[in-house]
């Protein structure tokens, strides 16, 4: 008689150790145990000796709805499944529906649920005209964190939150235990730098980095962390491109504050002098891609444990919005869901960084960060059997060739990957078989944090 529904065997990569010749046993969609040695009996058994078996990745930063009638959850979660990502956390800046109320959360959940092929959690935000009044109702509606910006891309869809309002929002969030994540670019400093670049007539690839020099990012990061320190709210920088930013976050943590920081995979992979010069608008991201020396600083922070999360900041703009010869006229952001995990594994192995960091930064820490770790983030008994399998099959990435992306372009096209995602399991069911996404729309579910019990005193 079969003891389990599924057993997979290989090199099991956990956040605290690597189990050579290990196996993961699954029953009723949950992990039962991680073992070593002979595989136990199961209805379905796969001996994947030579493969890496990791916890399913949680992408902490995805924009599925930034462009109307473009990607949507039908495609973002397809790319996720093909990339070993079993949960996405979607941002609240949707074209036509700023997620700033319980009703907006419900609309988005109802919209995404029939499309999603992997699980999803949601960020909430505020309408600057309303302030923090609806934060409580969004917590009850199930958001996993809040997102704000110190820079205004659009007054309605991606608004700037001024310092006083940011403080008010942090104070409202603090009792809930959720985290306030903030886009870290100082509005006044960026606008002044943009004006200088335009006055100088610079329009090529250099324009973007010059329009957002390091100080514009670091000023905002200090504001974010100090606002957290003053309000008692967990403060999170959602994407840091500079080694100095990780030093700032670490300093706040040493002082006892909850100061977390996220590194996007593009900051660990691409550089300004080679990739931005070659790709132009297809490598335009806020904050910008920095020089190669800065990339290597970030990897050192990964190795030293100063990075909290690794994510994609995924958005699949149509190609016409990324190919303007005037660098600053392009939309900001790139797709990455399908390739984040193999890119991180490649970079870590090249630098001698243990792969336990992959399980930590793309699964365990995101689950804890968004308070989803009752069900997600680790190959541990009782948690969802979300599993990513990588095999040592060198391949050259091509976003169009896979068929799992709504766009055929990617800044990562042409990169040689030593490991590829050959299997993704969502709650114990095969979602991607290495070639095809098997998870049907509607397979994914909305996941939400467990409620926090707030003491009333007495």
């Amino acid at each position: 008689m079969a003891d389990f529904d599924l057993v997979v065997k290989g090199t099991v990569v956990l956040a605290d150790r690597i189990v050579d010749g290990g196996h993961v046993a699954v029953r009723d969609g949950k992990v039962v145990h991680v073992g070593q040695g002979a595989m136990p009996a199961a209805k379905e058994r796969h001996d994947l000796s030579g493969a890496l078996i990791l916890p399913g990745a949680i992408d902490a930063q995805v924009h599925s709805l930034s462009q109307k009638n473009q990607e949507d959850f039908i495609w973002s979660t397809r790319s996720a499944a093909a990339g070993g990502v079993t949960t996405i956390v979607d941002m609240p800046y949707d074209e036509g529906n700023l997620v700033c109320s319980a009703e907006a959360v419900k609309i988005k959940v109802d919209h995404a649920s029939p499309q999603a092929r992997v699980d999803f959690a949601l960020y909430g935000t505020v309408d600057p005209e309303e302030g923090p009044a609806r934060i409580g109702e969004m917590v009850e509606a199930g958001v996993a964190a809040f997102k704000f910006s110190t820079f205004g891309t659009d007054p309605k869809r991606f608004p700037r939150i001024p310092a006083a309002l940011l403080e008010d929002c942090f104070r409202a969030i603090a009792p809930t235990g959720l985290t306030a994540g903030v886009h870290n670019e100082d509005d006044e400093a960026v606008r002044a730098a943009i004006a200088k670049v335009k006055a100088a007539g610079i329009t090529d690839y250099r324009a973007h980095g010059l329009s957002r020099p390091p100080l514009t990012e670091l000023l905002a990061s200090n504001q974010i962390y100090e606002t957290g320190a003053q309000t008692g709210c967990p403060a999170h920088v959602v994407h840091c491109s500079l080694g100095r930013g990780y030093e700032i976050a670490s300093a706040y943590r040493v002082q006892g504050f909850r100061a977390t920081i996220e590194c996007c995979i593009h900051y660990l992979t691409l550089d300004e002098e080679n990739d931005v010069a070659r790709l132009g608008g297809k490598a335009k991201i806020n904050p910008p891609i920095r020089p190669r020396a800065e990339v290597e600083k970030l990897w050192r922070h990964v190795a030293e444990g100063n990075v909290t999360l690794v994510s994609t900041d995924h958005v699949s703009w149509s190609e016409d919005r990324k190919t303007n010869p005037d660098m600053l006229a392009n939309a900001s952001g790139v797709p990455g869901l399908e390739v984040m995990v193999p890119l991180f594994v490649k970079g870590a192995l090249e630098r001698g960084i243990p792969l336990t960091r992959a399980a930590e930064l793309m699964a365990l820490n995101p689950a804890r960060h968004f308070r989803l770790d009752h069900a997600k983030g680790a190959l541990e008994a009782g948690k969802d059997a979300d599993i990513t399998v990588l095999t040592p099959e060198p391949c050259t990435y091509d976003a169009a060739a896979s068929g799992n992306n709504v766009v055929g372009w990617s800044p990562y096209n042409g990169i040689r990957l030593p490991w590829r995602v050959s299997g993704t399991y969502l709650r114990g069911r095969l979602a991607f078989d290495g070639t095809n996404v098997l998870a049907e729309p509607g397979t994914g579910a909305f996941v939400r944090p467990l409620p926090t019990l707030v003491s009333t005193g007495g």
Side-chain angles (χ1 to χ4, degrees):
M1 180 176 174
D3 297 320
F4 303 106
D5 298 325
L6 171 70
V7 173
V8 291
K9 180 178 181 178
T11 300
V12 180
V13 180
L14 307 175
D16 62 346
R17 67 193 189 281
I18 292 176
V19 185
D20 291 317
H23 59 259
V24 181
V26 176
R27 187 188 299 122
D28 297 328
K30 301 287 185 181
V31 175
V32 180
H33 78 91
V34 174
Q36 197 170 22
M39 297 170 68
K43 295 174 185 173
E44 184 181 342
R45 299 201 309 170
H46 299 285
D47 187 341
L48 305 171
S49 297
L52 301 175
I53 298 172
L54 295 97
I58 299 170
D59 191 338
Q61 193 167 177
V62 175
H63 297 262
S64 297
L65 295 167
S66 283
Q67 184 178 349
K68 274 187 175 180
N69 305 315
Q70 174 65 9
E71 183 165 40
D72 219 328
F73 283 81
I74 197 78
W75 279 104
S76 65
T77 58
R78 179 170 171 173
S79 297
V85 175
T86 50
T87 303
I88 65 170
V89 187
D90 212 75
M91 285 293 173
Y93 302 116
D94 303 340
E95 192 170 39
N97 180 42
L98 189 69
V99 181
C100 57
S101 67
E103 178 61 22
V105 173
K106 182 180 184 301
I107 289 170
K108 188 163 183 176
V109 172
D110 291 347
H111 172 87
S113 294
Q115 295 188 34
R117 303 170 194 266
V118 301
D119 291 347
F120 65 96
L122 297 179
Y123 265 96
T125 190
V126 298
D127 182 332
E129 296 179 5
E130 288 187 334
R134 296 185 181 274
I135 281 173
E137 68 180 57
M138 284 186 280
V139 174
E140 291 183 9
V143 298
F146 288 89
K147 170 76 182 291
F148 310 105
S149 182
T150 54
F151 177 79
T153 300
D154 181 275
K156 285 296 181 184
R157 193 186 71 79
F158 202 106
R160 173 182 177 243
I161 305 299
L165 177 53
L166 191 69
E167 179 186 353
D168 290 344
C169 291
F170 272 47
R171 290 194 187 281
I173 295 165
T176 74
L178 295 182
T179 297
V182 189
H183 179 112
N184 49 313
E185 292 182 299
D186 184 87
D187 194 272
E188 183 180 14
V190 169
R191 295 192 187 284
I194 289 173
K196 284 184 180 179
V197 170
K198 289 185 174 179
I202 301 169
T203 60
D204 64 11
Y205 79 93
R206 299 170 297 152
H208 190 50
L210 291 170
S211 74
R212 285 167 150 84
L215 188 58
T216 62
E217 189 177 332
L218 299 173
L219 286 172
S221 294
N222 276 288
Q223 178 198 345
I224 293 159
Y225 290 133
E226 194 57 33
T227 305
Q230 294 296 321
T231 59
C233 182
H236 180 66
V237 164
V238 298
H239 36 43
C240 180
S241 70
L242 299 162
R244 175 68 182 143
Y246 296 88
E247 294 167 6
I248 292 167
S250 178
Y252 273 90
R253 288 195 298 275
V254 167
Q255 295 169 41
F257 300 111
R258 289 175 290 179
T260 51
I261 190 162
E262 191 166 331
C263 188
C264 298
I265 194 66
H266 41 259
Y267 299 131
L268 294 170
T269 305
L270 307 174
D271 66 55
E272 183 180 37
E273 61 267 40
N274 296 295
D275 302 300
V276 183
R278 173 174 54 88
L279 295 165
K282 289 183 178 179
K284 181 173 181 274
I285 301 161
N286 297 335
I289 302 297
R290 304 295 183 183
R292 176 53 53 177
E294 205 68 53
V295 175
E296 296 308 322
K297 285 183 187 177
L298 302 193
W299 276 110
R300 287 199 292 275
H301 283 292
V302 168
E304 292 166 7
N306 294 329
V307 177
T308 312
L309 316 173
V310 169
S311 68
T312 62
D313 201 2
H314 171 98
V315 57
S316 291
W317 297 112
S318 55
E319 202 160 2
D320 61 297
R321 297 183 68 167
K322 297 291 286 181
T323 51
N324 195 311
D326 180 353
M327 186 66 171
L328 297 185
N330 292 286
S332 294
V334 299
L337 270 164
E338 190 182 33
V339 77
M340 173 180 72
V341 174
L343 280 172
F344 184 89
V345 167
K346 169 186 167 69
L349 290 173
E350 287 174 348
R351 293 164 179 85
I353 295 171
L355 290 183
T356 51
R357 286 282 187 233
E360 178 188 7
L361 301 184
M362 295 186 289
L364 181 64
N365 284 3
R368 290 174 173 171
H369 184 82
F370 295 108
R371 294 223 319 267
L372 305 175
D373 54 321
H374 58 286
K376 300 291 182 184
L379 298 175
E380 293 177 357
K383 296 191 176 179
D384 288 355
D386 296 346
I387 302 167
T388 300
V389 179
L390 281 82
T391 47
E393 301 174 70
C395 59
T396 300
Y397 184 64
D398 183 336
S402 78
N404 292 316
N405 304 281
V406 72
V407 291
W409 71 271
S410 166
Y412 310 114
N413 278 350
I415 291 180
R416 188 75 172 163
L417 299 169
W419 293 77
R420 76 176 191 92
V421 177
S422 60
T424 305
Y425 292 85
L426 175 67
R427 287 177 263 115
R429 294 181 58 188
L430 190 62
F432 175 65
D433 66 4
T435 303
N436 300 304
V437 172
L438 306 180
E440 294 292 332
T443 302
F446 175 49
V447 291
R448 52 186 295 162
L450 290 178
T452 293
L453 296 176
V454 179
S455 173
T456 56

